Amino acid sequence: MSRPERLTPARLRPRDIVRVGSVGLRTRPLRAFLSALGIAIGIAAMVSVVGISASSRAELDNTLAKLGTNLLTVGPGRTLFGDNAQLPTESVSMIKRIGPVERVAATALLADAKVYRSDLIPRGESGGIATRAANLELRDTVGLELVSGSWLNAATGRYPAVVLGATTAQRLGIGTADPDVRIQIGGRWFSVVGILAPAPLAPELDLSALIGWEAATSYLDFDGHPTTVYARTLDPAVEAVRGVLGATANPEAPNEVEVSRPSDALAAKQATDAAFSGLLLGLGAVALLVGGVGVANTMVISVLERRAEIGLRRSLGATRGQVRTQFLAESLLLSALGGVGGVLLGSGVTGGYAFSQAWPAVVPVWAVAGGIGATLLIGALAGLYPAIRAARLAPTEALATP
């Protein structure tokens, strides 16, 4: 009598695994969509936060590349008695003597010279606009751009002419520079000859009305002491120049001088944005976790509802490993759908926000790969228990389930 041949269960090919794993998704599309939506929201939140942060960083890099990181500013600090210090009138000429310094310019705040659109404005409503005397070299030193009109020159710098900062022009309701457009500064009329674009490295100029150094002396009793000196240096010598600026600007009291680097303020702002992005990433991770719980819940219910199917497959020769693979594949497919949808949604949000801010749209490759990888990991973890539970069902027990 011959020994009966031992039957070997057929192996599932990858194509077969995908086909049987998608059965539950195709038969219950609404449930699958809602479960994948939880994953998609979490991934979209994470990708959009990373993308917007990366786009902001790219815009900052472009700005710094355009404006340069070699601009230093010098201002008066405090005396030993806590009073406001004062820079010497010769500080600009002394800073020019530093070898690596390429350009130097100064402004001086004229605290008593209030700015008004007309003489009918109440004296207490100056709008917080500051009047500053400015050297003619200020534009080239700081890298100022004009949106209308022209910068001060040797002629207009001696007469009552003014260049408005970007915010100043908005507050005064002036859109175009014209000599016929006049504003009142310190009780005198000045013609608007130019309007500046926003100045990222010198934001104090945005809310300022800039007049010539000689004009300030002639019309507003300016004493000649600068309040801010801007120095543009050679790139390799920035730190070296920074170390000697205080003593050069005020040799008698270098401790009463404050030296700063405007690009550091932009970098600090970026660091603040990064911290805020970290908080949003945490919220995205929570949403992703909630989505994973939703997938696990869907898979557990799917196992309970399909016990008869599991019993029939086992009775027809499917092994526990094949049943386990089927449900694990279904969980992975469900999570992958949510992950891909979340990446697309997050990239769309990033692109839309970057376009609205006129930024370059940047979505890091690692964020896309990490988002999809995270969904697959969550899908595997969420589907592992239901898959094992399905594989442990005995055929007779499963078939006996109504």
Side-chain angles (χ1 to χ4, degrees), residues 45-47 49-50 274 276-286 366:
M46 298 179 71
V47 171
V49 167
V50 173
F276 184 66
S277 297
L279 174 61
L280 294 181
L281 279 175
L283 296 177
V286 172
W366 65 264

Side-chain angles (χ1 to χ4, degrees), residues 14-382:
R15 183 176 60 184
D16 298 326
I17 293 175
V18 174
R19 183 168 55 84
V20 299
S22 63
V23 170
L25 307 184
R26 287 185 278 111
T27 56
R28 299 170 179 81
L30 181 58
R31 181 186 297 174
F33 170 76
L34 294 177
S35 298
L37 183 61
I39 292 287
I41 291 174
I43 292 298
M46 298 179 71
V47 171
S48 60
V49 167
V50 173
I52 291 173
S53 178
S55 300
S56 174
R57 190 174 298 109
E59 174 64 15
L60 174 63
D61 292 341
N62 291 343
T63 300
L64 291 180
K66 179 181 178 181
L67 299 176
T69 58
N70 59 342
L71 180 67
L72 297 172
T73 63
V74 179
R78 297 277 183 176
T79 66
L80 293 177
F81 301 100
D83 299 325
N84 292 327
Q86 195 173 49
L87 291 176
T89 56
E90 305 84 5
S91 57
V92 174
S93 59
M94 291 189 291
I95 291 175
K96 284 183 179 179
R97 299 173 185 171
I98 302 176
V101 173
E102 297 179 307
R103 296 188 186 93
V104 181
T107 62
L109 178 63
L110 308 177
D112 296 330
K114 303 299 181 181
V115 180
Y116 302 96
R117 182 66 178 86
S118 74
D119 54 1
L120 302 178
I121 304 297
R123 298 296 91 180
E125 299 179 8
S126 61
I129 300 171
T131 301
R132 298 179 191 272
N135 293 148
L136 302 183
E137 298 82 5
L138 181 66
R139 179 185 178 184
D140 293 333
T141 303
V142 180
L144 301 176
E145 299 287 342
L146 287 154
V147 296
S148 179
S150 59
W151 178 246
L152 299 170
N153 54 40
T156 56
R158 298 167 52 192
Y159 294 102
V162 60
V163 174
L164 305 180
T167 307
T168 298
Q170 292 177 0
R171 292 194 179 181
L172 295 178
I174 300 175
T176 305
D178 191 304
D180 293 332
V181 177
R182 300 194 303 166
I183 61 174
Q184 194 176 83
I185 302 177
R188 304 188 68 97
W189 291 101
F190 283 72
S191 296
V192 177
V193 297
I195 298 176
L196 295 174
L201 291 183
E204 66 277 4
L205 301 181
D206 292 341
L207 193 56
S208 298
L210 303 171
I211 64 176
W213 204 268
E214 294 183 37
T217 303
S218 301
Y219 301 107
L220 301 177
D221 299 325
F222 173 45
D223 60 7
H225 289 276
T227 53
T228 304
V229 180
Y230 303 89
R232 184 75 72 170
T233 74
L234 296 174
D235 287 328
V238 171
E239 293 304 324
V241 172
R242 189 175 186 173
V244 301
L245 270 180
T248 304
N250 191 354
E252 295 182 359
N255 60 302
E256 297 179 1
V257 179
E258 293 183 352
V259 180
S260 63
R261 190 177 183 182
S263 57
D264 290 344
L266 293 181
K269 179 181 180 297
Q270 183 64 45
T272 303
D273 292 342
F276 184 66
S277 297
L279 174 61
L280 294 181
L281 279 175
L283 296 177
V286 172
L288 192 58
L289 177 61
V290 172
V293 172
V295 171
N297 181 62
T298 298
M299 294 308 302
V300 169
I301 294 176
S302 180
V303 169
L304 295 176
E305 290 181 343
R306 297 161 62 187
R307 297 178 77 178
E309 175 194 332
I310 296 170
L312 180 59
R313 290 201 62 208
R314 290 295 310 279
S315 299
L316 294 176
T319 65
R320 290 186 174 183
Q322 290 174 342
V323 173
R324 184 167 55 245
T325 300
Q326 173 190 351
F327 282 89
L328 191 57
E330 183 175 331
S331 178
L332 288 173
L333 285 173
L334 185 60
S335 298
L337 288 175
V340 172
V343 166
L344 293 176
L345 180 59
S347 300
V349 170
T350 298
Y353 187 82
F355 177 78
S356 69
Q357 300 294 321
W359 294 349
V362 179
V363 179
V365 176
W366 65 264
V368 174
I372 295 177
T375 59
L376 294 178
L377 177 61
I378 287 178
L381 295 175

